[in-house]
């Protein structure tokens, strides 16, 4: 049975992807001119990916997936949104790159392909859409080869305190909302209901440990991956609030490995 909350998000993302596809912040045209959409953290985490197999979970329209392909990785991207996958295939054609894009809820992804991967990655704006971190971690572990590496980077869960009204860090109930602006195009109101899930850092880390992975590094950062307020400034592909470091982290990253 499809997860009904995830299905709502699928509909909402079908709408949001079209808003993002044309939005200048996504730098799609620059990507087609050769710009790499990847940021320093994931580039440093994986190093040379030439000839390696890479699975990108929750890949949207594949800008990052295809940036890895440009670096020589053999890529597969998975996303729940039909429109994401349609646009990812279109982008692949436009860029003249190789890659495989598959539509699936990340929680249902086991069995989608028979392959195992050297690298599995999930980045920037994903964990809030996942209702069950234990099930998610099983998918990550399933698709890694022995010795394979997982990397994720995302909003730090403590940023829930910045929501209006703030959410509890330990919040357990799904957070439902509609009629709110798209995060990329604040002028565009998404009427479709979206459902988000709050996961404390311990829940994410423990889910990966329970799935048999070894955590190799956990990072916490004073920068974000997009300007949450209009006065944030950009440096080295990340965004900083004015007035010095914030009181608590804005992003976290995590490296884990499947034992040999
Ligand atoms: C903020 S975007 C991720 C963008 C990503 N960093 C990139 O490389 O473009 C979140 C993505 O997660 C996808 N998504 C949301 N819920 C999902 C689920 N349950 N399973 C798979 N993908 C999902 C959405 O369709 C959307 O494309």
């Amino acid at each position: 049975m499809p997860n009904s909350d995830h299905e709502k998000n699928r509909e909402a993302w079908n709408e949001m992807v079209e808003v993002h596809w044309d939005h200048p912040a996504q730098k799609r045209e620059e990507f087609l001119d050769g710009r790499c959409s990847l940021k320093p953290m994931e580039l440093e985490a994986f190093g040379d990916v030439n000839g390696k197999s890479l699975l990108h979970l929750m890949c949207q329209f594949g800008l990052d997936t295809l940036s890895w392909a440009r670096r020589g990785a053999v890529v597969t991207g998975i996303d729940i949104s039909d429109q994401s996958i349609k646009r990812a295939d279109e982008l692949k054609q436009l860029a003249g790159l190789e890659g495989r894009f598959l539509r699936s809820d990340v929680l249902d992804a086991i069995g989608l392909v028979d392959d195992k991967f050297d690298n599995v990655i999930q980045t920037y704006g994903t964990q809030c859409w996942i209702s069950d971190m234990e099930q998610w971690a099983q998918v990550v572990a399933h698709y890694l080869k022995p010795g394979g590496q997982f990397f994720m980077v995302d909003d730090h869960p403590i940023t829930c305190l910045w929501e209006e009204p703030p959410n509890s860090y330990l919040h357990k109930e799904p957070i439902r909302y509609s009629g709110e602006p798209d995060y990329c195009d604040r002028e565009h109101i998404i009427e479709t209901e979206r459902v988000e899930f709050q996961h404390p850092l311990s829940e994410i880390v423990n889910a990966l440990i329970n799935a048999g992975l070894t955590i190799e590094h956990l990072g916490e950062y004073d920068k974000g991956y997009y300007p949450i307020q209009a006065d944030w400034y950009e440096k080295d592909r990340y965004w900083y609030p004015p007035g010095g470091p914030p009181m608590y982290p804005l992003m976290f990253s995590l490296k884990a490995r499947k034992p040999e």
Side-chain angles (χ1 to χ4, degrees):
M1 275 289 283
N3 176 308
S4 59
D5 285 338
H6 286 200
E7 284 299 300
K8 285 185 184 130
N9 290 337
R10 172 181 176 176
E11 277 178 38
W13 271 102
N14 280 341
E15 185 181 344
M16 286 156 73
V17 163
E18 286 308 292
V19 176
H20 297 178
W21 175 256
D22 282 325
H23 197 277
Q26 299 285 330
K27 299 192 166 32
R28 176 166 54 89
E29 290 307 323
E30 290 91 326
F31 167 78
L32 290 172
D33 285 341
R35 178 183 188 269
C36 175
S37 67
L38 301 168
K39 297 188 199 301
M41 284 190 205
E42 56 268 26
L43 286 170
E44 194 206 314
F46 282 168
D48 182 7
V49 293
N50 193 23
K52 291 199 173 161
S53 54
L54 182 146
L55 175 64
H56 184 190
L57 298 173
M58 311 177 75
C59 64
Q60 200 175 196
F61 51 78
L63 264 178
D64 285 1
T65 328
L66 293 167
S67 289
W68 290 114
R70 265 202 193 126
R71 292 177 168 259
V74 180
V75 300
T76 301
I78 292 178
D79 198 282
I80 198 170
S81 147
D82 319 72
Q83 212 52 31
S84 284
I85 296 304
K86 194 172 143 228
R87 288 300 196 184
D89 279 328
E90 188 179 335
L91 193 64
K92 175 177 78 173
Q93 299 295 337
L94 289 170
L97 291 164
E98 296 290 321
R100 174 174 57 171
F101 291 101
L102 303 166
R103 200 215 67 76
S104 173
D105 187 333
V106 67
L107 296 188
D108 298 333
I110 292 180
L112 200 60
V113 292
D114 290 335
D115 316 41
K116 302 281 182 180
F117 296 84
D118 296 306
N119 293 125
V120 176
I121 188 163
Q122 187 175 299
T123 55
Y124 306 115
T126 58
Q127 105 251 351
C128 64
W129 305 109
I130 301 172
S131 57
D132 185 332
M133 295 316 281
E134 291 289 329
Q135 198 180 336
W136 161 81
Q138 294 296 328
V139 175
V140 173
H142 170 86
Y143 277 119
L144 280 172
K145 287 180 183 173
Q149 199 194 355
F150 173 63
F151 179 72
M152 80 182 290
V153 51
D154 214 328
D155 298 291
H156 197 293
I158 197 81
T159 55
C160 65
L161 298 179
W162 273 18
E163 300 291 334
E164 276 300 332
N167 289 313
S168 156
Y169 181 74
L170 299 168
H171 197 92
K172 281 287 164 216
E173 293 304 310
I175 303 153
R176 301 170 191 283
Y177 58 98
S178 55
E180 295 277 325
D182 178 82
Y183 68 89
C184 194
D185 179 352
R186 309 294 298 169
E187 304 289 298
H188 189 106
I189 303 298
I190 309 289
E191 294 300 343
T192 317
E193 185 181 42
R194 284 173 274 176
V195 189
E196 292 195 19
F197 307 90
Q198 167 71 12
H199 305 290
L201 204 49
S202 55
E203 190 183 335
I204 300 168
V205 170
N206 288 329
L208 292 166
I209 293 171
N210 293 341
L213 302 188
T214 305
I215 309 293
E216 294 190 332
H217 184 258
L218 184 62
E220 296 178 294
Y221 307 96
D222 63 356
K223 53 194 174 188
Y225 59 93
Y226 73 104
I228 293 180
Q229 303 290 344
D231 58 355
W232 286 34
Y233 66 94
E234 189 178 12
K235 198 174 117 198
D236 301 331
R237 308 290 285 269
Y238 293 102
W239 291 85
Y240 296 78
M247 300 279 282
Y248 46 77
L250 300 174
M251 291 197 301
F252 78 98
S253 74
L254 190 154
K255 264 196 228 178
R257 196 175 292 276
K258 185 163 177 169
E260 293 282 354

